[in-house]
Amino acid sequence: MAGNSRRRGAVRKPGTKKGPKVGSGGVRRRGLEGRGPTPPAHMRPNHPAAKRAAKGQRRPARKTDETEIVLGRNPVLECLRAGVPATALYVALGADADERLTESVRIAADSGISILEVPRHDLDRIAANGLHQGLALQVPPYAYAHPDDLLAAATASGSPALIVALDNISDPRNLGAIVRSVAAFGGHGVLIPQRRSASVTAVAWRTSAGAAARLPVARATNLTRTLKSWADAGLQVVGLDAGGDTTLDELDGTGPIVVVVGSEGKGLSRLVRENCDMVVSIPMAGPTESLNASVAAGVVLAEIARQRRG
């Protein structure tokens, strides 16, 4: 019968006899126990991250919502000259040195920015078509002010508040140029919408020529609501649009004022336009129908500054 080890030809396999037998002494049980969390990559032997850490190298971070990577020798040098608050300058190993690279390294060293040599393929991973020219700059996110804090600072400045708000401005170069004009003509800050608007990126930093480091830029969750609250606080809300119902010659800019600049193509949005006390346009002597948004803002700010000097 099956299982009868006494039958002819049957062989009992060792360890199959029922009853007590010699055990493993707990070795197998301990072998099945967890070994704890996996250590970080830079602490694992033979891992590429550990090898880079041993050599004192760092891999450049990928561009995320929290950081921005500026690529190319000219853009990097312009950012460093403008005083962009960078955190790291990455130089590809074996990169050909020229005046731009040498000056970038010198400015970074004088500014206390970390200078790190990395393999060229690390920069290739984050650059389109390898157009980094062996140089990259890591820029942290911009620290935006709160609209209420911006208004409070402008009110406490001792001079009538002068703030510029942007509506439908999507080009960061326009944003940077407007920030530069506001700082040049004695303005107190710039307000931008949180959505569907240019933000303070490295491009805006570079265009502002460092003014973004001195002038606060606030972000409004709802631009229309913020303009309403500022109007209730005593500020005159003046829209700037090529199709304005009055001209710049009729504007009185001596009191507290917020100038709302619309885009060159779309102009002011409907809700923002409805909440403006007046919408002005710049009288044109030539056949040009409209000006670039940043140029138009500079013209209006120059006129307001002239009136206040008088």
Side-chain angles (χ1 to χ4, degrees), residues 62-68 139-142 144 199-201 219:
R62 289 183 178 273
K63 181 177 178 180
T64 65
D65 294 337
E66 299 299 323
T67 61
E68 182 177 1
V139 180
Y142 181 80
Y144 293 96
S199 56
V200 184
T201 61
R219 244 180 176 176

Side-chain angles (χ1 to χ4, degrees), residues 60 69-80 88-108 114-120 122-124 126-127 130-138:
I69 304 296
V70 182
L71 301 166
R73 300 197 177 190
N74 284 334
V76 168
L77 180 56
E78 290 175 6
C79 285
L80 291 171
L89 175 67
Y90 297 101
V91 182
L93 290 169
D96 295 332
D98 61 3
E99 295 179 356
R100 296 170 297 175
L101 189 147
T102 302
E103 184 177 355
S104 297
V105 172
R106 180 183 57 78
I107 296 175
S114 300
I115 304 173
L116 304 167
E117 286 190 313
V118 297
R120 178 173 289 272
D122 282 355
L123 295 182
D124 292 338
I126 59 176
L131 299 178
H132 51 74
Q133 299 175 307
L135 206 60
L137 189 69
Q138 181 173 307

Side-chain angles (χ1 to χ4, degrees), residues 167-252:
D167 183 31
N168 290 324
I169 302 296
S170 57
D171 190 343
R173 291 170 294 185
N174 275 336
L175 171 59
I178 291 172
V179 169
R180 185 176 184 178
S181 296
V182 173
F185 293 112
H188 299 101
V190 175
L191 177 70
I192 63 175
Q194 189 168 356
R195 299 176 59 189
R196 295 185 295 274
S197 171
S199 56
V200 184
T201 61
V203 175
W205 266 103
R206 189 169 69 246
T207 311
S208 73
R214 306 185 300 272
L215 194 79
V217 178
R219 244 180 176 176
T221 305
N222 188 302
L223 180 61
T224 304
R225 187 183 305 128
T226 301
L227 293 175
K228 285 182 179 179
S229 65
W230 284 3
D232 295 339
L235 271 68
Q236 182 184 16
V237 182
V238 176
L240 178 59
D241 195 296
D245 48 20
T246 184
T247 64
L248 181 61
D249 299 334
E250 304 174 29
L251 173 65
D252 180 9

